[in-house]
Amino acid sequence: MSVCLAGVDASERRGGWDPDSDGRRATLESPIRTLLESHAGTLTAADRLTLVPDTHYPFHPSSGMVTDPAVVAALVDHLEGRTTAEIAVAGISDDRIGFDRTADYLGYPTILESTDATLVDLADEPRRNQVVSVDGDRLSLTVPERLLESTVVVVPTLRPTEDGPVAGGMRTLERFVSSVDDSELTALAATRAAEPVLTVLDATTAYGGDPVAADTLLAGPTPQVDALASSLLERSIADDSALENAFGVSVPSITVETPNDGVSVDVDSLRRRLPKGELPPPDDMHPAVTAAYRLYATVSGDAVPPQLEQGP
C-alpha cells in the first residue's frame, strides 16, 4: 500500500505563523487536489461524507497539537466542487470541554461559513453497538451511527500521544467510541468499525517536543499513514500495540509517493527536521506565560484557552 506526500508552499510564511486562515486555505488548494486525485472515485460516489479532524482540545493550530481548520476547509472546498454529498465536520464533547466551544475557539464556524458543510457533535448523535474482532479477541464498542453510515475521512495531526506512540488517524477515531474493554487495541477496533476510506494527515505544523513548520500533508490508508507518521517521529511500531496488530507479524512495506506537479518532499530530510521529544508535562504554566498569552489574546482578538482562564 502507498502513502502520498504533498508539500505546502511556505514562501509566504513571512517568518512565522500566518494568522490569515483564508490565506492558508488558498495555499492548501493545490496539495489537497493532488492528494485526493487517486481517491476521486470513492469520494465523489459518496452520499454522506464525514471529516473527522483532531479537535481534542482548543490549542492554537500553530502549536501542531490540533488539525489546522484551514486544512479541513480546503478539503471541504475540493469535495464540494466534485460531489453533491452531504458533508459534515465531526467532533465530540467530553468531560473537559464541549465540542461547540472547541470549534468556536479554533475558528471552524467562520472558516466553514462559505461552505455547506455542517459541524456535528457526535456526543449528541445516536450510537450503535458493534463487536469487532482484533487479534483473536472480540471487542465490544459503542460507535456513533454517522461513522458507520457515511464515508469517513480522518484528518489527524503529526504529534505523539501522552503515552508516546503517534496520535494519528486510529487514535483520532478512538475518541469517538466507548468500549467496555480496557484494551490497547481499541484504536484499531474503532478504525475497523468506522472503515475510513482515507486519512489525510495534517503535518503543516508538527509537534514532537516543539512545534515545527513541516509544511507537509500525507494521504493514504489509515494504518499506513499512522505507520509513516511513527517513522517520522522515530517511534517504533513494536511499541505501538494498535499499529503492530494492524499489520500482523510482518513489518509493513509502505511505498511513499511524491507527486511531480507540486512542492517536493524529502522524507529523510523531513524526519531529521522534526523534533524527537514528548508532549509537555501537564504542570501549571508559569505565571509569565499565562500573562503573555492573555496579552496576546487581547491584542489579536484570539480566545484564551480554558487551561489559562483560571490562572493568576
Side-chain angles (χ1 to χ4, degrees):
M1 301 291 285
S2 63
V3 173
C4 185
L5 275 72
V8 179
D9 186 359
S11 60
E12 298 183 4
R13 188 175 289 280
R14 298 194 296 276
W17 173 258
D18 182 2
D20 181 1
S21 57
D22 288 335
R24 300 199 308 278
R25 179 178 182 171
T27 301
L28 292 160
E29 178 183 345
S30 177
I32 290 292
R33 181 176 63 250
T34 298
L35 288 177
L36 298 189
E37 184 175 351
S38 60
H39 301 274
T42 304
L43 294 170
T44 56
D47 295 323
R48 301 175 75 196
L49 284 164
T50 301
L51 307 185
V52 185
D54 183 358
T55 55
H56 66 284
Y57 207 65
F59 296 99
H60 194 278
S62 64
S63 67
M65 291 292 291
V66 291
T67 304
D68 186 347
V71 172
V72 178
L75 284 166
V76 172
D77 289 341
H78 178 87
L79 293 168
E80 285 194 333
R82 289 156 180 79
T83 178
T84 58
E86 169 199 325
I87 301 176
V89 177
I92 191 165
S93 296
D94 57 27
D95 56 1
R96 296 186 301 171
I97 191 168
F99 174 62
D100 57 345
R101 188 178 178 203
T102 302
D104 284 343
Y105 175 78
L106 295 176
Y108 275 100
T110 299
I111 201 168
L112 293 176
E113 66 181 356
S114 61
T115 75
D116 292 326
T118 56
L119 285 169
V120 177
D121 185 352
L122 295 188
D124 301 328
E125 299 244 324
R127 302 174 78 85
R128 188 186 307 166
N129 293 330
Q130 294 285 109
V131 177
V132 182
S133 179
V134 179
D135 193 30
D137 293 330
R138 292 168 63 81
L139 300 185
S140 178
L141 307 177
T142 304
V143 186
E145 286 187 358
R146 183 178 290 268
L147 296 184
L148 300 173
E149 297 178 349
S150 62
T151 299
V152 175
V153 177
V154 193
V155 196
T157 48
L158 181 57
R159 62 178 179 86
T161 61
E162 187 175 355
D163 297 329
V166 70
M170 288 196 288
R171 289 182 175 83
T172 296
L173 288 171
E174 183 181 18
R175 293 189 60 243
F176 291 82
V177 307
S178 55
S179 173
V180 298
D181 306 291
D182 184 15
S183 173
E184 295 179 348
L185 302 180
T186 302
L188 178 55
T191 304
R192 290 182 176 173
E195 295 183 318
V197 67
L198 182 67
T199 284
V200 177
L201 188 144
D202 172 20
T204 51
T205 304
Y207 188 92
D210 290 296
V212 62
D215 295 317
T216 304
L217 297 170
L218 294 77
T222 302
Q224 282 77 7
V225 170
D226 284 7
L228 183 55
S230 292
S231 172
L232 290 172
L233 291 180
E234 298 192 2
R235 264 51 176 189
S236 171
I237 290 178
D239 295 331
D240 187 332
S241 298
L243 266 180
E244 188 178 36
N245 280 275
F247 295 104
V249 296
S250 60
V251 176
S253 176
I254 301 171
T255 301
V256 178
E257 300 178 355
T258 54
N260 296 322
D261 57 347
V263 179
S264 62
V265 178
D266 184 303
V267 175
D268 291 331
S269 175
L270 176 60
R271 184 182 292 112
R272 288 192 297 270
R273 288 198 300 115
L274 291 174
K276 302 178 180 61
E278 308 288 341
L279 294 180
D283 299 330
D284 292 337
M285 291 189 179
H286 191 282
V289 175
T290 302
Y293 200 100
R294 285 177 175 164
L295 176 60
Y296 154 76
T298 300
V299 173
S300 67
D302 216 340
V304 177
Q307 67 267 35
L308 300 184
E309 288 181 342
Q310 304 303 319

